[in-house]
Amino acid sequence: FTFQDGRHCHPSCPSRFIKGFCAMACFAQPTAKFSTLRDMTTTRKAVLGVMGVLGGGAAGMVYALNESVKASELELHCTTFPWPHNGYFSSFDHASIRRGYEVYKNVCAACHSLKYVAFRNLIGVSHTEAEAKEEAESVQITDGPNEEGHMFQRPGKLSDYFPNPYPNDEAARAANNGALPPDFSYITAARHGGENYIFSLLTGYCDPPAGVQLREGLYYNPYFPGGAIAMAQALYNEVMEYSDGTPATASQMAKDVSTFLRWASEPEHDQRKKMALKALMIFPLLIAISYYIKRHKWIVIKSRKFAFKPSSK
């Protein structure tokens, strides 16, 4: 047998398998080629370079335009506070949630709705079932129509959601000088900073700095984008009394209602962390079992040996 490079295979090769391999090698011609950067033409390199420069410039321009439309110089970024529920396995302060509900009920509910939270959600979190039922029955819910086709008022039930203080958005704007009070169900998830922003906003009212003019009906708050906010300061010291006797300072009420609104936007918070803790406890065992099964199933296949036994003539 003769290879393409001129080498010869001796006919007295001791094995037919080697002779057969030599014969196969004689007809094998390498055809695969690997493309490298040095094989690229100069024109292609230049085109790719220009495309990269243009792409980077476009991304930079988009970022610059996005930053330019932000009123960052008119907005004071809120501080990150050490909330009790910020830890990886920390739960809500449920006493604070109960006090926050009292703040919402006595101060915030006059303007802001909580239409995605039902009275039954309070059970086991801040109230017992009897207390939650009593809270539901303390409000009047519009229901109907009745047999005569009219809407009617009835006491609330545990399945009812928190009522809206206004019949519609137009009525809400008319009662607030054109400003629409936002719904509080997901307010902490919808605002940058979450509960930090809510607490800073509620406690950040102050006089406008020199040169800043506010039209009638607006108030100055540096944490609100633009500084001018239509909501007047709502929390003052001793504006209400807590049922548990906690001193109702403005900062305490802001902290409690911020915690309550964080819970309202994420009621599964504690349960999610409990499930994460259980998962971290069971994952090492599952990984060990999976590794053992993998080794048990594949050890036979991975340790196989192949031997060529030519058929005898």
Side-chain angles (χ1 to χ4, degrees), residues 14-261:
S15 174
R16 295 182 180 180
F17 171 72
I18 300 178
K19 291 180 181 180
F21 177 78
C22 293
M24 293 171 59
C26 291
F27 297 97
Q29 297 182 0
T31 58
K33 291 185 178 180
F34 295 94
S35 175
T36 62
L37 185 62
R38 288 182 292 181
D39 298 333
M40 297 172 60
T41 62
T42 305
T43 304
R44 188 175 180 183
K45 293 179 181 178
V47 171
L48 292 178
V50 172
M51 292 176 61
V53 172
L54 292 178
M61 182 177 296
V62 170
Y63 177 79
L65 291 175
N66 182 57
E67 292 296 320
S68 65
V69 299
K70 294 182 179 179
S72 56
E73 68 279 1
L74 302 176
E75 179 182 356
L76 182 62
H77 294 280
C78 57
T79 304
T80 301
F81 298 101
W83 299 94
H85 53 267
N86 275 351
Y88 289 111
F89 302 107
S90 301
S91 64
F92 279 123
D93 182 356
H94 290 259
S96 182
I97 293 178
R98 184 184 179 98
R99 293 193 299 267
Y101 167 74
E102 294 179 10
V103 176
Y104 169 79
K105 176 183 176 181
N106 293 285
V107 180
C108 308
C111 298
H112 297 275
S113 60
L114 203 65
K115 59 185 178 181
Y116 296 112
V117 179
F119 288 99
R120 66 174 180 269
N121 299 131
L122 300 175
I123 300 176
V125 178
S126 57
H127 295 72
T128 63
E129 182 176 354
E131 291 173 337
K133 186 176 182 179
E134 184 179 354
E135 291 293 328
E137 292 175 349
S138 65
V139 299
Q140 293 294 315
I141 303 296
T142 302
D143 202 349
N146 55 17
E147 297 177 353
E148 298 177 355
H150 301 296
M151 304 299 288
F152 61 93
Q153 297 287 320
R154 62 165 176 82
K157 299 181 294 186
L158 289 176
S159 58
D160 291 322
Y161 290 83
F162 284 80
N164 196 323
Y166 302 103
N168 49 62
D169 291 349
E170 286 70 20
R173 289 190 176 93
N176 293 276
N177 296 324
L180 177 63
D183 180 75
F184 273 178
S185 301
Y186 298 101
I187 192 68
T188 58
R191 297 294 185 269
H192 178 69
E195 60 268 39
N196 296 304
Y197 168 78
I198 301 299
F199 178 86
S200 300
L201 183 73
L202 293 175
T203 59
Y205 285 89
C206 61
D207 295 330
V212 176
Q213 299 293 331
L214 300 177
R215 65 180 178 85
E216 185 179 359
L218 296 181
Y219 306 89
Y220 184 76
N221 194 314
Y223 295 100
F224 188 77
I229 184 172
M231 183 181 73
Q233 183 175 356
L235 301 181
Y236 297 92
N237 293 335
E238 307 298 334
V239 72
M240 56 167 286
E241 292 183 2
Y242 283 127
S243 60
D244 60 357
T246 302
T249 61
S251 58
Q252 179 68 48
M253 289 185 289
K255 178 256 184 183
D256 292 333
V257 76
S258 299
T259 303
F260 170 73
L261 294 178

